[in-house]
Amino acid sequence: MDYFSEGISQLIEQLQVLPGIGAKSAQRLAFHIISMPEEKVDRLSDTLKSVRKNIRYCSECFTLTDSEKCPICSSAKRNHRMIMVVETSRDLAAYEKTGKYEGVYHVLNGAISPMLGIGPGDIRLKELMRRLEGDVEEVIIATNSTLEGETTAMYISRLVKPTGIRVTRIANGVPVGGDLENIDEVTLLRALEGRTVL
Ligand code: ZN
């Protein structure tokens, strides 16, 4: 890409580290950024830096947040006796978009995958079990319908059942191999409402 000046080439290269951004998109973004007013570019880069610096895991549910406890765990309006277990903060966001779920979450930050060498100790399972020592009525397992997601769901249900807490799994409205965040809200709601006891 030596037909661009050094600075522009570097910007294009940096943008390509983002997922889904190939050479063409990176070029388009780079030229857009260059044409933006300076203060807008400043705001964008300041936001990037401060988000990266201040972001951490919620001490209760392990979603990404910028305070000790995330807004959902801090909310008195939520039902803290109902915990939905998801793989990522993006999955949490997908369920929040439905606006119909009133419980809280537990974000595993991954899923069990023997193939990738990710075991139960590599995701936030211990932390989930610790939460279940409190006053919890139901654990809704909403991991993805992938091999890893199903393996994780089975593992969790086996862990939780002996505690006597109700364990449910979201319905099959979520297509097999489906990534939760790409599924529309109606399908997600249907999956949540049609959940079955494990
Ligand atoms: Zn939280």
Side-chain angles (χ1 to χ4, degrees):
M1 244 182 252
D2 42 10
Y3 38 89
F4 292 128
S5 73
E6 178 76 14
I8 298 173
S9 296
Q10 258 177 33
L11 178 57
I12 293 170
E13 221 180 278
Q14 287 304 312
L15 288 166
Q16 281 188 74
V17 305
L18 298 170
I21 303 292
K24 260 193 193 159
S25 308
Q27 253 185 56
R28 194 166 44 82
L29 287 172
F31 282 104
H32 180 80
I33 291 168
I34 292 164
S35 71
M36 274 160 67
E38 215 173 314
E39 64 273 16
K40 275 200 171 173
V41 178
D42 283 345
R43 213 178 310 148
L44 177 64
S45 69
D46 289 349
T47 307
L48 283 175
K49 272 192 253 172
S50 100
V51 163
R52 182 63 189 87
K53 211 166 125 194
N54 298 322
I55 220 76
R56 47 150 126 184
Y57 293 112
C58 167
S59 62
E60 204 159 313
C61 73
F62 297 92
T63 192
L64 291 169
T65 183
D66 50 12
S67 50
E68 154 82 16
K69 257 192 202 183
C70 76
I72 297 170
C73 288
S74 312
S75 168
K77 286 192 192 131
R78 308 294 294 233
N79 176 1
H80 291 259
R81 301 162 87 178
M82 187 184 261
I83 300 179
M84 187 194 287
V85 181
V86 293
E87 292 181 22
T88 66
S89 291
R90 283 172 299 157
D91 297 336
L92 177 155
Y95 273 100
E96 277 305 285
K97 259 195 263 164
T98 68
K100 291 275 162 62
Y101 177 65
E102 286 164 352
V104 292
Y105 296 90
H106 188 84
V107 183
L108 295 169
N109 288 294
I112 297 170
S113 170
M115 248 166 52
L116 297 173
I118 301 169
D122 300 315
I123 57 176
R124 302 281 187 173
L125 271 178
K126 262 200 318 273
E127 291 85 349
L128 172 66
M129 294 314 290
R130 208 172 302 140
R131 288 179 77 184
L132 299 188
E133 289 166 14
D135 188 11
V136 177
E137 269 169 7
E138 180 176 352
V139 173
I140 303 169
I141 307 177
T143 50
N144 292 341
S145 305
T146 53
L147 178 61
E148 292 79 15
E150 294 299 346
T151 308
T152 309
M154 243 179 332
Y155 192 90
I156 295 174
S157 88
R158 254 187 250 140
L159 276 183
V160 179
K161 262 190 198 163
T163 66
I165 296 168
R166 183 179 148 95
V167 197
T168 54
R169 175 88 173 111
I170 53 166
N172 286 327
V174 181
V176 172
D179 210 339
L180 272 188
E181 58 168 328
N182 295 324
I183 295 160
D184 70 274
E185 287 147 42
V186 178
T187 310
L188 274 186
L189 264 184
R190 216 174 287 148
L192 180 58
E193 276 158 10
R195 67 187 184 273
T196 47
V197 178
L198 290 177

